[in-house]
Amino acid sequence: GTWIADVPSTTTVQALATYRPANFNADFDAVASQTVTTTASTLTVVGEGPDSVTAGADAAYTFTMENTGEIALPGAVFALTLPTGFYITSSTPALTAGVAPTWTVGDMAPHTRAVIAVTGAFTADVEDVQQLDAAATATIDDIATTQAKTQVFTDVQGNGLRLQLV
């Protein structure tokens, strides 16, 4: 079979065997447990973006989701968590306005890639290092498991222009 679980995670697998030896009238049970630690997945995500950007200027980010394994991964989804004050102006594939930044990739054949490109801007009140979090999930039997995560950091520089109306 194929083991699919959240990455990273630890799962305990238990086996129960019931048997009846020859010349006995009673059943005997044997129980065995094993802990499986999932540390990596064949579904990976890599993100790239600017090291620094001025508030209000366009910032372009590219995320590559890849199935490096030998079997297809069903129901692949890419989700992006944006920092406060970052607004997407365009993306490829396109997003529907007003919805969370999530792209349904679908079944990913072995050794295939999906590229998501996002362009946006930070509002004028945002400064310091900002973080975009990306996650890739696979869905089997309506159960979504996180297979890979990545973070992209951008240092946002204040634009220095302030306007006050009295």
Side-chain angles (χ1 to χ4, degrees):
T2 302
W3 186 266
I4 296 183
D6 286 326
V7 177
S9 68
T10 302
T11 308
T12 301
V13 178
Q14 187 175 50
L16 172 65
T18 302
Y19 58 95
R20 182 179 295 194
N23 299 327
F24 278 85
N25 291 337
D27 289 337
F28 292 88
D29 294 325
V31 178
S33 295
Q34 183 65 42
T35 300
V36 177
T37 301
T38 306
T39 58
S41 174
T42 59
L43 187 61
T44 62
V45 175
V46 176
E48 297 176 357
D51 290 331
S52 66
V53 68
T54 303
D58 282 345
Y61 296 89
T62 304
F63 297 91
T64 304
M65 192 166 75
E66 183 176 7
N67 179 2
T68 62
E70 299 298 324
I71 64 166
L73 286 173
V77 173
F78 175 81
L80 193 57
T81 303
L82 304 174
T84 302
F86 182 81
Y87 295 94
I88 295 175
T89 55
S90 67
S91 70
T92 305
L95 278 174
T96 304
V99 298
T102 303
W103 292 262
T104 301
V105 177
D107 296 345
M108 288 194 72
H111 307 290
T112 58
R113 291 181 178 176
V115 177
I116 292 91
V118 176
T119 301
F122 290 93
T123 57
D125 61 338
V126 175
E127 291 184 7
D128 296 324
V129 176
Q130 300 297 315
Q131 164 183 326
L132 281 79
D133 295 319
T137 61
T139 303
I140 297 175
D141 297 329
D142 295 327
I143 299 172
T145 56
T146 301
Q147 298 296 300
K149 293 181 180 180
T150 191
Q151 298 173 325
V152 178
F153 297 94
T154 300
D155 187 10
V156 180
Q157 307 296 316
N159 60 18
L161 175 64
R162 301 213 187 255
L163 178 62
Q164 232 178 353
L165 180 62
V166 179

